[in-house]
Structures are given as structure tokens and as C-alpha cells.
């Protein structure tokens, strides 16, 4: 099976996107990783790193007339969402030997080969693979009605006629409307996935508990150690670090929300991610690139510093201060 993985980013998500790419490197056989950069700063930075097994695309290399038509009227996040199906369609066209094209959010990390989920989906005859949110816990109560059943941080499409038709339909919806303000029928690119799953018989809701695990569904699963972290007795394939904040080389907020990440999940999942993020920051510094990319910009405010210091000192919430040497 030959798979193309893609992410969309601006300069502020470079460190996270590099961590994602690096996590896929042990599984890169028959895979390609593509960075769709929405600004030239991101593209310039990535090109300076001379990355292997990767493609770096500038806006001029993937923006269509339809995308340019809507770009001026949309916020940066809305435009990134709009690009997603267009990027995957272009990826399909780029290589006729591909079996699947997969979008993953930049703040995701692979712990095992995510193609395992695609192999299962292909055996089940799927043309597209989506991951249900599976919201669990009082902090996330009622969110599915607002943001949709599925999370668009992972979406995979098989390179067959049906997969292309599904992607084209999704792109048309996103070009019509892709707002960060939710309503009954739409929320960004994401709520359209509800309709996609009922409109097209080949769309599969992933049964794999370790695909796109995230803070919003952690409580619904048993997380245990193993050669790989285990989710309900199966490998953790991809974890979505939504809400992760970078304040400096050693200071992070693991999840910027009301839910407190459990201690064993911090050890098994978040510590490896922090180590990889720190490694990528170090790599940028070593080649004299801007290692501050992706950091929260208002950390220098006195009140913010005082509050952060208090939360670290008293171990409140999800603040994490790393004294260990960054991963080699």
C-alpha cells in the first residue's frame, strides 16, 4: 500500500508539523509527506532544513482559481480548512500509483504506523475513513451537536473514483461556506463530514480506538503501557495534541482547557511529544532559523508570567516544565 500524508500549516505551526513528520519517519516506507504551506515564511524555513522523503509546496504551487477567489474573505484558519480537500485532490493527481491520501493536523504525532487503520478500512471496502470525536466527560458535553460527529484533524481517502467523488463534494461545500462560527448545518470544513458519512456508502467511521485519540475522548478509553502505548488493548497510532501550547523551550501547556490530563497519559503520550517538540526547536536553532515560531506571543506580559509561574509551582492544570535534555 502506498500512502501520501499531508498537513497544512503557516509559520506558527512549523515546529508541530516537523514533529509530526519526524514521528512518521520510522514508517515512511511507501509513504510521502507533504507540507502545504500557506505562507512563504513556512516554505522558506522548511526548505532550509533539507528534509528527506518530504515535499514542500508554496501557495503558488497549489492555490487554484477557486481558492484564490475565496481567500480574501476568510480568516487564516478558515482558509486552511478550505484548502484541505483541494490539497488532497491535488495529491491524488500528483501520483497515479497512490492507494490513499491522508490529511492530518500539524499538532498530531504518530506512535505506530497509521497505515494499519487504512489496511483495515480497505479490507472493509471503504473509500474514505473518518474518525468520530467520541466526546467523553462533562467538559465536552454537548460539543458534538456544535462541531459535528467527526474530527477533521484526520481524514483519509482512497485513490479510486469513489474517493475522488467524495473529496470533490467536500471541496464544493467548503468553497460555498467554511466559517469558524458554527450553525445548524456547518462548522468550518468539519460538520460537512456528518453529511458525507450518510450521503456516500463508502465512508467508514474508523473502529480503531488508537486513531486520532485526543483530549476530548481520552476518558472513554483505557490507556496502558506496552511496546507502543495501548488504547483498549490496541496500538496507539495517532494522537491529536489539540490545545497544546508552547511557551518556551522548556515550558508547555499540555492542554489549554478545563480537562486535566491524567498522570499516566502524561508519561506515556505527552512526554514523548514534548521531547520531540524540544528536538525540533533545537534543530531550528542549530541552523540559525527562528526557533520562536509557534510560541505563544503574549507570554511576556507580567500578569501572564505570574499566573503561569504559579500554575507550574503548584502543579495546577496541565502546565509542564521540562528540565530533561531534548531528544537526540
Amino acid at each position: 500500500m502506498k500512502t501520501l500524508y499531508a498537513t497544512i500549516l503557516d509559520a506558527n505551526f512549523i515546529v508541530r508539523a516537523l514533529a509530526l513528520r519526524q514521528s512518521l519517519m520510522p514508517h515512511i516506507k511507501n509513504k510521502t509527506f507533504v507540507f502545504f504551506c500557506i505562507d512563504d515564511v513556512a516554505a522558506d524555513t522548511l526548505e532550509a532544513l533539507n528534509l528527506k522523503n518530504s515535499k514542500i509546496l508554496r501557495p503558488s504551487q497549489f492555490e487554484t482559481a477557486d481558492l484564490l477567489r475565496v481567500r480574501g474573505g476568510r480568516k487564516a484558519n478558515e482558509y486552511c480548512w478550505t484548502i484541505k480537500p483541494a490539497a488532497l485532490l491535488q495529491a491524488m493527481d500528483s501520483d497515479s500509483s497512490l492507494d490513499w491520501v491522508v490529511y492530518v493536523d500539524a499538532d498530531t504525532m504518530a506512535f505506530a504506523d497509521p497505515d494499519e487503520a487504512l489496511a483495515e478500512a480497505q479490507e472493509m471496502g471503504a473509500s474514505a475513513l473518518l474518525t468520530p470525536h467520541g466526546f467523553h466527560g462533562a467538559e465536552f458535553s454537548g460539543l458534538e451537536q456544535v462541531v459535528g460527529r467527526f474530527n477533521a484533524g484526520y481524514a483519509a481517502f482512497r485513490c479510486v473514483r469513489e474517493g475522488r467523488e467524495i473529496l470533490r463534494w467536500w471541496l464544493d461545500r467548503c468553497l460555498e461556506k467554511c466559517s469558524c462560527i458554527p450553525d445548524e448545518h456547518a462548522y468550518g470544513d468539519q460538520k460537512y463530514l456528518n453529511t458525507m458519512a450518510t450521503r456516500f456508502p463508502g465512508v467508514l467511521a474508523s473502529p480503531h480506538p488508537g486513531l486520532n485519540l485526543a483530549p476530548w475522548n481520552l476518558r472513554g478509553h483505557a490507556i496502558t503501557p506496552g511496546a507502543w502505548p495501548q488504547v483498549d488493548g490496541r496500538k496507539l497510532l495517532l494522537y491529536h495534541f489539540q490545545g497544546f501550547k508552547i511557551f518556551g523551550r522548556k515550558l508547555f501547556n499540555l492542554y489549554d482547557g478545563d480537562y486535566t490530563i491524567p498522570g499516566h497519559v502524561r508519561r506515556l503520550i505527552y512526554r514523548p511529544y514534548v521531547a520531540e517538540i524540544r528536538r525540533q526547536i533545537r534543530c531550528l536553532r542549530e541552523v540559525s532559523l527562528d526557533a520562536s515560531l509557534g510560541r505563544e506571543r503574549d507570554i511576556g506580559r507580567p500578569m501572564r508570567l505570574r499566573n503561569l509561574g504559579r500554575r507550574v509551582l503548584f502543579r495546577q492544570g496541565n502546565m509542564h516544565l521540562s528540565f530533561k535534555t531534548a531528544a537526540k
Side-chain angles (χ1 to χ4, degrees):
M1 188 161 60
K2 187 173 181 181
T3 313
L4 181 146
Y5 283 85
T7 196
I8 297 166
L9 71 151
D10 63 12
N12 288 323
F13 270 79
I14 284 174
V15 171
R16 293 169 176 84
L18 286 169
L20 167 61
R21 172 198 166 272
Q22 185 60 35
S23 71
L24 284 166
M25 287 300 101
H27 321 292
I28 207 65
K29 184 180 179 182
N30 290 328
K31 295 181 182 64
T32 303
F33 190 84
V34 183
F35 299 91
F36 285 86
C37 303
I38 69 164
D39 59 45
D40 286 329
V41 174
D44 290 342
T45 304
L46 292 170
E47 286 177 355
L49 293 170
N50 295 314
L51 302 171
K52 297 179 181 178
N53 300 314
S54 304
K55 259 184 210 178
I56 299 152
L57 297 181
R58 296 174 179 273
S60 60
Q61 295 174 285
F62 63 83
E63 284 183 319
T64 63
D66 285 335
L67 290 174
L68 290 170
R69 173 174 53 82
V70 301
R71 180 168 189 169
R74 298 189 177 181
K75 297 177 181 176
N77 58 344
E78 294 171 339
Y79 186 60
C80 284
W81 298 334
T82 306
I83 289 170
K84 200 179 299 180
L88 293 177
L89 278 168
Q90 185 186 101
M92 274 191 184
D93 292 337
S94 70
D95 186 348
S96 61
S97 67
L98 287 171
D99 294 296
W100 288 85
V101 293
V102 185
Y103 170 82
V104 279
D105 272 355
D107 55 348
T108 304
M109 189 166 94
F111 284 79
D113 190 350
D115 271 12
E116 291 186 20
L118 295 180
E120 291 180 7
Q122 191 160 305
E123 288 179 4
M124 298 171 73
S127 303
L129 183 65
L130 304 178
T131 53
H133 275 115
F135 290 117
H136 205 282
E139 299 89 346
F140 307 104
S141 176
L143 273 180
E144 184 171 310
Q145 185 176 356
V146 178
V147 303
R149 178 187 172 198
F150 300 97
N151 179 255
Y154 175 95
F157 299 85
R158 196 171 174 188
C159 299
V160 293
R161 178 178 55 81
E162 294 83 359
R164 184 181 295 277
E165 288 176 357
I166 296 166
L167 265 177
R168 183 72 241 182
W169 175 88
W170 191 22
L171 175 58
D172 288 343
R173 302 290 77 73
C174 290
L175 289 170
E176 288 170 4
K177 182 180 181 180
C178 199
S179 172
C180 61
I181 301 172
D183 61 30
E184 183 181 356
H185 303 290
Y187 169 63
D189 63 323
Q190 186 166 269
K191 215 166 182 180
Y192 296 128
L193 303 181
N194 289 7
T195 305
M196 183 190 292
T198 57
R199 182 183 179 94
F200 299 97
V203 177
L204 176 68
S206 175
H208 198 302
L211 185 67
N212 206 17
L213 190 71
W216 59 75
N217 55 34
L218 268 173
R219 270 211 192 99
H221 301 283
I223 314 300
T224 54
W228 295 268
Q230 302 287 301
V231 186
D232 299 340
R234 300 195 67 185
K235 293 177 188 176
L236 172 59
L237 303 179
L238 284 170
Y239 189 89
H240 193 156
F241 291 88
Q242 185 262 334
F244 184 90
K245 303 291 184 183
I246 303 171
F247 292 111
R249 287 186 298 131
K250 297 183 178 182
L251 182 60
F252 308 90
N253 189 350
L254 304 184
Y255 177 63
D256 189 24
D258 294 333
Y259 175 55
T260 301
I261 304 296
H264 70 294
V265 175
R266 292 185 185 219
R267 292 189 298 274
L268 292 172
I269 297 175
Y270 279 83
R271 282 185 183 173
Y273 188 62
V274 166
E276 188 56 49
I277 288 290
R278 291 192 63 201
R279 178 181 181 275
Q280 297 306 327
I281 291 172
R282 182 166 59 84
C283 286
L284 291 177
R285 289 167 60 89
E286 286 179 351
V287 292
S288 301
L289 295 171
D290 186 357
S292 70
L293 292 171
R295 297 187 191 182
E296 297 301 301
R297 297 297 182 184
D298 61 348
I299 187 174
R301 296 177 183 176
M303 183 64 72
R304 186 76 182 273
L305 281 172
R306 188 177 69 181
N307 289 339
L308 287 174
R310 182 177 298 163
R311 290 166 67 187
V312 171
L313 181 62
F314 294 104
R315 298 185 179 182
Q316 296 173 335
N318 296 304
M319 296 304 298
H320 177 85
L321 184 59
S322 177
F323 289 105
K324 293 184 178 180
T325 302
K328 298 291 186 183

